[in-house]
Amino acid sequence: MSTSFRYTEPLPPKAATGRTAAVYTQLSRDFGIDEPPTFVVLSSAPELLAATWALTRESLIAGPGGRTGKELAALGVSLANKCPFCVDAHTVLLHATGDHAMAERIAKGHRPENVEHARVLDWGKRTRVPGAAFGDGSPPFSREDAPGYLGTVLAFHFINRVVSALLTEKMLPGNLQRFRTVRSLAGRTLARTVRRTAVPGESLPLLDRPDPGEAPAWAGGTPVGVAYAALLRAAMAGASLLTREDQDVVEEVLQDWGGEHPSLALPGVPGRDERPGARLVLLAALAPYRITDEDVAAWRRPEHTDRCLVHLVSYGAFLAVDRIESAFHHDIART
């Protein structure tokens, strides 16, 4: 039987218990999709699953700012990161907001006709480049809405990378989302959930709560900041799967990363026979769509469970997120 999962075999959601089951219950209610593979793929690490869901929920779904604008920002991120699965998903979710014509214009490679919508999409794309998010000096959203928009783009910079590394590109069986009618119908089935008001903070009891001081300033004391800090803590735990020397290699490459997609030569990325763990982490950060069966096989040993692989990929994904987020503080101060 075909599956969306490339290198892991998550337990069926119906078998979930405890925190994982609670996340699936909230996903069904607030996201409108039962068993979305973008989250199920993280289920072998419940602390990562819960934190990823919390950041998504508290920013995109319950956070400040309109849902259409935040979907456009997430779509811009997904286009910049070359994540076809997430591009298709956000196109469907734009249909769910009721903006069918705009969703189809973007699906065909065109810009939104509305100038403000086009600004948000372009801004989402720019966030891949550290320090470029506010290059024109004015964000396409109010200061009050900043936690919702910033949390959304950071959530999907993380999710895009996990999806590209660990899932296939097919959002629906047979790539049915390629057809306009299917995209529209799928969006309509989600419309009621997407347009419903969600209460902020309801995902926070699912988290290993960070210290209050760990929440970033741009989150403005909202639940978005707690969720971001929880994801940071959960994802960075993956560093323990690398030697200190491998961590140094990874950090050195990422210090010089300017948001570009690496060439086929993968400059700075070690070979799979040399440092297979560091290679996987750097690919997850910079070009997760370039991870191959051989890359995973070179690293994986009997002691490396699905949970280990999910943590290793999440560590790389979050290192890129952290590089992008660190630039926000300087960017916001300039605006």
Side-chain angles (χ1 to χ4, degrees), residues 178-200:
R178 293 174 299 176
F179 300 101
R180 174 176 181 162
T181 302
V182 173
R183 292 193 294 267
S184 178
L185 286 173
R188 291 175 195 276
T189 64
L190 296 171
R192 180 174 296 181
T193 302
V194 166
R195 299 175 198 181
R196 187 172 63 220
T197 300
V199 178

Side-chain angles (χ1 to χ4, degrees), residues 217-288:
W218 53 260
T222 66
V224 177
V226 177
Y228 181 83
L231 181 56
L232 183 157
R233 179 179 288 187
M236 295 302 284
S240 65
L241 292 162
L242 296 184
T243 65
R244 182 64 256 180
E245 291 78 10
D246 280 350
Q247 291 178 41
D248 290 343
V249 169
V250 167
E251 290 169 10
E252 183 177 349
V253 173
L254 281 170
Q255 280 177 356
D256 296 329
W257 179 60
E260 65 279 355
H261 288 270
S263 68
L264 290 175
L266 295 174
V269 178
R272 65 176 65 97
D273 295 329
E274 178 188 0
R275 296 184 182 274
R279 179 182 177 87
L280 274 178
V281 168
L282 284 168
L283 287 175
L286 308 178

Side-chain angles (χ1 to χ4, degrees), residues 4-22:
S4 300
F5 308 107
R6 295 177 67 193
Y7 303 118
T8 64
E9 296 181 4
L11 288 174
K14 290 182 176 58
T17 59
R19 175 161 46 175
T20 300

Side-chain angles (χ1 to χ4, degrees), residues 80-101:
N81 289 330
K82 301 182 180 181
C83 181
F85 187 109
C86 293
V87 168
D88 289 338
H90 291 295
T91 302
V92 166
L93 287 164
L94 275 178
H95 273 288
T97 69
D99 220 320
H100 304 288

Side-chain angles (χ1 to χ4, degrees), residues 103-176:
E104 287 308 308
R105 279 188 62 82
I106 297 173
K108 294 174 183 176
H110 304 309
R111 287 166 57 81
E113 291 182 322
N114 180 285
V115 173
E116 289 306 308
H117 287 161
R119 284 189 68 214
V120 174
L121 183 68
D122 288 345
W123 175 79
K125 293 178 182 177
R126 287 201 308 275
T127 61
R128 178 176 167 94
V129 178
F134 303 104
D136 62 0
S138 58
F141 46 81
S142 68
R143 186 172 292 274
E144 293 73 22
D145 290 344
Y149 277 88
L150 297 178
T152 293
V153 298
L154 293 170
F156 285 96
H157 274 298
F158 180 77
I159 291 170
N160 285 174
R161 287 167 167 82
V162 171
V163 166
S164 292
L166 300 178
L167 298 182
T168 69
E169 294 183 357
K170 296 179 181 179
M171 191 188 98
L172 295 174
N175 266 342
L176 289 174

Side-chain angles (χ1 to χ4, degrees), residues 63-85:
R67 181 67 180 265
T68 296
K70 290 183 288 186
E71 286 293 348
L72 278 168
L75 180 53
V77 169
S78 302
L79 287 166
N81 289 330
K82 301 182 180 181
C83 181
F85 187 109

